[in-house]
Amino acid sequence: MKYCSNCRTYHDDAPNYCPRCGGQLDYINQTPPPYNQGTRPYDDNNVFSPSGPEGKCRGVAALLAIFLGYFGAQYFYLGKGWAGVIVLLLSLCSCGLWQVISTIQGVLMLCMTNDEFERKYVQTSATFPLF
């Protein structure tokens, strides 16, 4: 049994490098822990798994950006109330053209990993994280 300390996965028959992340594998003489025990619950990069301790899901935020981006719903969901108010004002001033930018933002949220989403939108101290 080999263990990758980079992505925290176990491999039965693998070369010296992890097939998932390319990290160095270490040989261990113990059985692996049960699935997802001791690892982050969003290691599988599922779009609807909660991201980090805040519990914000990038799939929900992306769908809100695509369908309700005109109202800034994705920012209210992420706890960035001032950004939601700014988007609402921009949408009113641009006669709804801001929805195009919100749709692009939603598609980009769907394409990024959970770690990127957490870093750019959840843990950031920025008032108005756009892309």
Side-chain angles (χ1 to χ4, degrees):
M1 178 72 53
K2 293 182 179 180
Y3 175 72
C4 178
S5 58
N6 286 343
C7 63
R8 295 180 283 187
T9 56
Y10 293 87
H11 303 281
D12 288 326
D13 294 322
N16 292 333
Y17 296 99
C18 178
R20 183 174 175 194
C21 70
Q24 181 72 30
L25 291 177
D26 301 320
Y27 183 76
I28 58 169
N29 287 329
Q30 66 183 21
T31 59
Y35 181 71
N36 263 352
Q37 181 180 0
T39 62
R40 298 181 301 187
Y42 54 95
D43 277 342
D44 59 354
N45 203 26
N46 184 356
V47 72
F48 287 106
S49 66
S51 179
E54 291 83 7
K56 301 301 180 187
C57 174
R58 74 178 164 107
V60 172
L63 291 175
L64 287 172
I66 292 170
F67 295 112
L68 296 174
Y70 179 85
F71 302 108
Q74 72 274 22
Y75 290 113
F76 289 115
Y77 172 72
L78 294 172
K80 309 268 186 218
W82 284 110
V85 171
I86 291 170
V87 168
L88 189 59
L89 292 174
L90 285 171
S91 296
L92 291 173
C93 292
S94 67
C95 297
L97 290 177
W98 191 261
Q99 177 62 37
V100 175
I101 294 174
S102 293
T103 303
I104 293 170
Q105 182 183 28
V107 171
L108 289 175
M109 281 181 186
L110 285 174
C111 295
M112 67 179 51
T113 64
N114 284 336
D115 290 330
E116 289 174 324
F117 171 77
E118 183 179 348
R119 188 181 72 250
K120 287 183 181 179
Y121 294 103
V122 179
Q123 291 181 344
T124 184
S125 61
T127 304
F128 188 55
L130 190 57
F131 295 113

